[in-house]
Amino acid sequence: MRIVLVGPPGAGKGTQAAYLAKNLAIPHISTGDLFRANISQGTPLGQKAQEYMRAGQLVPDEVTIGMAKDRMQQEDAAGGFLLDGFPRNLAQAEALDAILKADGQRLDGVLDLEVPEDEVVKRIAGRRMCRKDSGHIFHVIYNPPKTEGVCDACGGELYQREDDSEDTVRKRLEVYHSETEPIIDYYKAQGLVVTISALGKVGEVTERAMAALERESAS
Ligand code: ADP
Ligand code: AMP
């Protein structure tokens, strides 16, 4: 299956992607994680991306589309993938269609996670990420680690993302509404969108998401 996850920052895309990718046996591809890995390795791509991420803006398409394409064309993604955080504007959505079409492929569905803005602000404010594995995501209140600052799954150090500060979050939400939300209509026109509520426990949202994807793939 080739699926796109969409939803505001803090909706729970990364959290859900870890479970969905496992259930569906496809790789989780997060452009945000790819940028953060490049930043921690000090690559030129990471240096370029960092200035935009710090400001809560989108990294330019010339950088982002090539990076996403390279990742999607790796061997483990031949049978499908779960995209998280890509595409994030119409130009990226059109580029993705072209990339898939060139290989005779298409998307199977777009899962839209709906969460009220006051909830995403609370989720982002308490988010803690694992330095060793970006799939290990915690929250100081909603999903606290057993030992403060330490990942339950692998013992990695937990940290707060630099772009999770209040000002940057406001900017990221603005960018989501102006640049990313239009892709939902773009995909609706292709009949690909399933919208679910991302409120409730993580496991409940995963069940809702799996049921929605099964309905979508059966239709
Ligand atoms: P996104 O990838 O959409 O930015 P994350 O998956 O990183 O979002 O989740 C943002 C924060 O919200 C994290 O701290 C995560 O632990 C928390 N979170 C995710 N899903 C839920 C949920 N269903 N209920 C409460 N908190 C959640
Ligand atoms: P995320 O981890 O998805 O919250 O993304 C963190 C930041 O990385 C975003 O605020 C952007 O600056 C950048 N980013 C991630 N994905 C993309 C994308 N598809 N296009 C442009 N910028 C992106």
Side-chain angles (χ1 to χ4, degrees):
M1 276 186 120
R2 292 178 180 82
I3 299 161
V4 168
L5 266 185
V6 68
K13 299 182 296 297
T15 302
Q16 290 305 323
Y19 294 103
L20 296 175
K22 204 170 168 194
N23 286 348
L24 298 165
I26 48 177
H28 165 207
I29 300 181
S30 154
T31 41
D33 286 348
L34 292 173
F35 285 134
R36 282 183 288 276
N38 273 279
I39 291 172
S40 65
Q41 288 155 19
T43 69
L45 188 150
Q47 280 163 15
K48 170 112 183 140
Q50 192 166 32
E51 50 179 305
Y52 294 93
M53 292 170 78
R54 277 196 174 130
Q57 289 169 346
L58 296 187
V59 178
D61 292 343
E62 311 85 86
V63 179
T64 306
I65 293 169
M67 179 185 74
K69 183 177 177 188
D70 284 350
R71 179 62 189 89
M72 284 186 283
Q73 291 182 339
Q74 282 171 25
E75 218 176 291
D76 65 333
F81 45 72
L82 182 59
L83 290 176
D84 158 13
F86 181 87
R88 240 176 167 105
N89 61 23
L90 282 173
Q92 293 180 11
E94 285 164 1
L96 174 61
D97 278 350
I99 293 165
L100 292 175
K101 202 170 165 194
D103 286 336
Q105 298 161 353
R106 61 187 299 275
L107 286 177
D108 295 293
V110 174
L111 185 66
D112 169 30
L113 299 184
E114 212 170 50
V115 196
E117 197 133 314
D118 57 342
E119 177 68 15
V120 298
V121 169
K122 284 189 226 161
R123 287 186 182 184
I124 293 180
R127 169 160 57 192
R128 296 294 182 272
M129 306 274 290
C130 175
R131 274 202 203 282
K132 274 199 198 159
D133 187 331
S134 54
H136 302 157
I137 306 170
F138 295 83
H139 189 283
V140 289
I141 297 164
Y142 303 139
N143 178 25
K146 289 193 187 83
T147 309
E148 199 188 317
V150 181
C151 176
D152 289 353
C154 70
E157 181 203 355
L158 297 182
Y159 73 101
Q160 183 164 26
R161 275 169 50 175
E162 193 185 358
D163 61 348
D164 278 352
S165 66
E166 208 181 311
D167 278 357
T168 313
V169 168
R170 210 170 300 126
K171 178 69 192 165
R172 285 161 61 205
L173 284 168
E174 231 177 83
V175 168
Y176 178 74
H177 293 308
S178 62
E179 303 203 38
T180 308
E181 257 176 1
I183 72 169
I184 299 177
D185 281 338
Y186 173 84
Y187 286 130
K188 274 187 181 161
Q190 299 182 29
L192 286 173
V193 179
V194 277
T195 301
I196 62 161
S197 164
L199 287 176
K201 292 199 181 109
V202 170
E204 289 166 1
V205 180
T206 309
E207 278 177 23
R208 232 174 268 151
M210 285 301 294
L213 290 174
E214 275 159 25
R215 277 197 305 275
E216 180 67 17
S217 65
S219 68

